[in-house]
Amino acid sequence: MRARLMVPSLIACAVALAAALPAFSDRPAGAVEDNELAKAMDGMKAAMRGLRRIVENPEQKADALALVAQLQQHMAAAKILVPPNAAKLEGKAREEFLSGYRRAMIALLGKSLELELDILDGRTADAAKRWKELIALRDKGHGTYNK
């Protein structure tokens, strides 16, 4: 009896899925990845904003370390994604673009590790300097890979 009741439900689900498939296929290639990259970049932006306010405050060391961990997670996610501008390129130019993007993300991640060490060791002036270096690297990367 249960099986007979489930059949109409399964048919309804199949029809709904079939109706939804064209909506997914209408999306441009890379749209999901673009969205994931945007989420990662937004997460990095939020973590950097939070750090700006507390990086020099030794009393907020735990909060700063938590924000650095979030920043690094978003950086690691963004590092392996493909920026939308890569779609405009082909062949060697695309390879060089993607290699440069990944290297820029690795540099950011490395600088964030230095920031983490500064915070762990209580070197607040160095941590503030490292935060500014991260901003400079971010701006340089956006200028190169966000055109």
Side-chain angles (χ1 to χ4, degrees):
M1 173 121 172
R2 278 189 165 175
R4 280 190 252 163
L5 293 176
M6 289 181 63
V7 170
S9 297
L10 289 173
I11 292 171
C13 288
V15 169
L17 181 60
L21 285 176
F24 288 113
S25 64
D26 290 344
R27 291 160 72 175
V32 172
E33 192 164 284
D34 293 351
N35 191 32
E36 291 302 312
L37 184 58
K39 285 180 188 177
M41 293 294 175
D42 287 346
M44 290 169 54
K45 182 178 180 179
M48 288 296 290
R49 281 187 175 168
L51 281 167
R52 177 184 60 209
R53 294 187 289 273
I54 65 173
V55 74
E56 291 185 274
N57 186 344
E59 294 174 7
Q60 293 188 300
K61 181 178 181 175
D63 292 336
L65 289 171
L67 284 170
V68 169
Q70 289 175 17
L71 176 66
Q72 291 167 346
Q73 288 173 340
H74 293 297
M75 286 176 172
K79 180 181 74 145
I80 61 172
L81 296 172
V82 177
N85 292 339
K88 302 173 189 173
L89 304 171
E90 294 179 5
K92 186 79 169 161
R94 180 179 166 88
E95 287 178 32
E96 289 174 1
F97 179 86
L98 292 175
S99 176
Y101 168 77
R102 189 155 186 162
R103 289 174 186 278
M105 292 304 300
I106 290 169
L108 274 171
L109 193 52
K111 194 62 68 177
S112 75
L113 293 169
E114 293 175 22
L115 171 64
E116 184 176 12
L117 286 172
D118 289 337
I119 294 169
L120 278 171
D121 293 341
R123 297 187 306 261
T124 55
D126 290 340
K129 178 183 168 194
R130 209 74 63 212
W131 182 87
K132 289 178 183 175
E133 291 170 355
L134 275 168
I135 293 295
L137 283 172
R138 178 206 65 190
D139 293 346
K140 180 181 176 187
H142 284 176
T144 303
Y145 302 101
N146 221 12
K147 292 178 183 178

